[in-house]
Amino acid sequence: MEVSPQLEDAMDIRDLAEEFAELCAAGRGEEAAARYWADDIRTYEAVPGEYAETHGKDQALEKARWWAENHEVHEIEVEGPFVNGNQFLLYWEIEVTPKGGEREDIEEMVLYTVEEGRIVEERYFY
Amino acid sequence: MEVSPQLEDAMDIRDLAEEFAELCAAGRGEEAAARYWADDIRTYEAVPGEYAETHGKDQALEKARWWAENHEVHEIEVEGPFVNGNQFLLYWEIEVTPKGGEREDIEEMVLYTVEEGRIVEERYFY
């Protein structure tokens, strides 16, 4: 069977997305980031705030570390990936206690855009 | 409290997205489309095929009707909306029997882009 270039790309993305999702679900987010984030990755939160937008791997890591320091994570579930072209989605369900706050469930979708085997954009939906 | 323009837009989108999701979950997809699709809506499936891309409301309706005629729908569940800026996501779980096929569960995410109160793009992920 001949595979169309469009479908072949989607298969590569799915492999990348599955590996990325597995690392994230195992709580190995920093490793996932080191392996798959592009140097010029951009991230976009859904609400205003200090880290509403980040540009570049250093700032994205700074945001990730700030988040990790301010939340105690009890459980992470990651559903997906769901793929279209060079983008994929993961559905995150995280049980956390924010510093000084109460235990809560966070549900969010993250849309990842991939170029040349690296994640160049993360967009958060909730 | 003053609401930032960014947040105000997101609130409008969330209202629209919730109404749209409710109609879809109730099996009233044609009504949702009539109310919220822009005339020049574009849709993008994740795999090649006759309706891999559609341009304009007429072609999108044609695709929706083709789908409805070729699938018996047993149950629709719609989770969401999940919002960021002028985009929102719905998580669809549909139990169907394709014409001549076997009953199956379909899980897909759809990314909707909104401009001036109308959905201008639907992008399917699975």
Side-chain angles (χ1 to χ4, degrees):
Chain A
M1 184 188 123
E2 204 158 315
V3 175
S4 73
Q6 186 188 345
L7 203 55
E8 204 169 87
D9 285 354
M11 286 162 69
D12 291 345
I13 300 279
R14 192 171 294 276
D15 287 344
L16 182 157
E18 275 170 7
E19 283 174 36
F20 184 80
E22 265 173 41
L23 287 171
C24 292
R28 292 157 66 188
E30 285 229 8
E31 195 179 333
R35 200 178 295 183
Y36 294 111
W37 279 0
D39 288 339
D40 58 351
I41 185 170
R42 292 180 173 241
T43 74
Y44 300 92
E45 287 290 334
V47 292
E50 191 184 348
Y51 292 114
E53 275 189 44
T54 69
H55 296 171
K57 203 169 187 171
D58 289 347
Q59 207 186 359
L61 282 174
E62 189 185 304
K63 173 189 163 194
R65 286 179 189 138
W66 169 86
W67 195 90
E69 279 162 18
N70 286 280
H71 296 81
E72 186 191 348
V73 177
H74 308 291
E75 205 176 326
I76 301 176
E77 271 186 62
V78 179
E79 213 174 320
F82 302 84
V83 178
N84 180 317
N86 70 327
Q87 296 186 300
F88 69 93
L89 284 158
L90 296 180
Y91 180 16
W92 289 73
E93 293 175 274
I94 316 174
E95 211 184 316
V96 296
T97 304
K99 215 177 233 180
E102 296 196 358
R103 196 167 173 130
E104 62 174 320
D105 290 322
I106 297 174
E107 291 187 2
E108 62 184 16
M109 300 275 192
V110 187
L111 175 64
Y112 302 86
T113 304
V114 177
E115 280 173 19
E116 296 172 4
R118 292 285 178 280
I119 295 169
V120 294
E121 190 185 293
E122 291 186 355
R123 198 171 281 272
Y124 292 74
F125 293 74
Y126 28 77
Chain B
M1 182 187 127
E2 204 159 313
V3 175
S4 73
Q6 186 188 347
L7 203 55
E8 203 169 87
D9 285 352
M11 287 162 69
D12 291 344
I13 300 279
R14 192 172 292 276
D15 287 345
L16 182 156
E18 276 171 5
E19 283 174 35
F20 184 80
E22 266 173 41
L23 287 170
C24 292
R28 292 157 67 190
E30 286 231 7
E31 194 179 333
R35 202 179 293 181
Y36 293 110
W37 278 0
D39 288 339
D40 58 352
I41 185 170
R42 290 178 176 243
T43 74
Y44 299 92
E45 287 291 333
V47 292
E50 191 183 349
Y51 292 114
E53 275 191 42
T54 70
H55 297 170
K57 203 171 189 170
D58 289 347
Q59 207 187 359
L61 282 174
E62 191 185 304
K63 173 189 164 194
R65 285 180 189 137
W66 170 85
W67 195 90
E69 280 161 17
N70 287 281
H71 295 81
E72 186 191 348
V73 176
H74 308 292
E75 205 176 326
I76 300 176
E77 271 186 64
V78 180
E79 214 175 319
F82 301 84
V83 178
N84 180 317
N86 70 326
Q87 294 186 302
F88 69 92
L89 283 159
L90 297 180
Y91 181 14
W92 290 73
E93 292 175 275
I94 315 174
E95 209 184 318
V96 297
T97 304
K99 214 178 234 180
E102 295 197 358
R103 195 165 173 133
E104 61 175 321
D105 291 321
I106 296 173
E107 291 188 2
E108 63 185 15
M109 301 272 191
V110 188
L111 174 64
Y112 302 86
T113 304
V114 177
E115 280 172 18
E116 295 173 6
R118 292 284 179 280
I119 294 168
V120 295
E121 190 185 293
E122 291 186 355
R123 198 171 281 270
Y124 292 74
F125 293 73
Y126 30 76

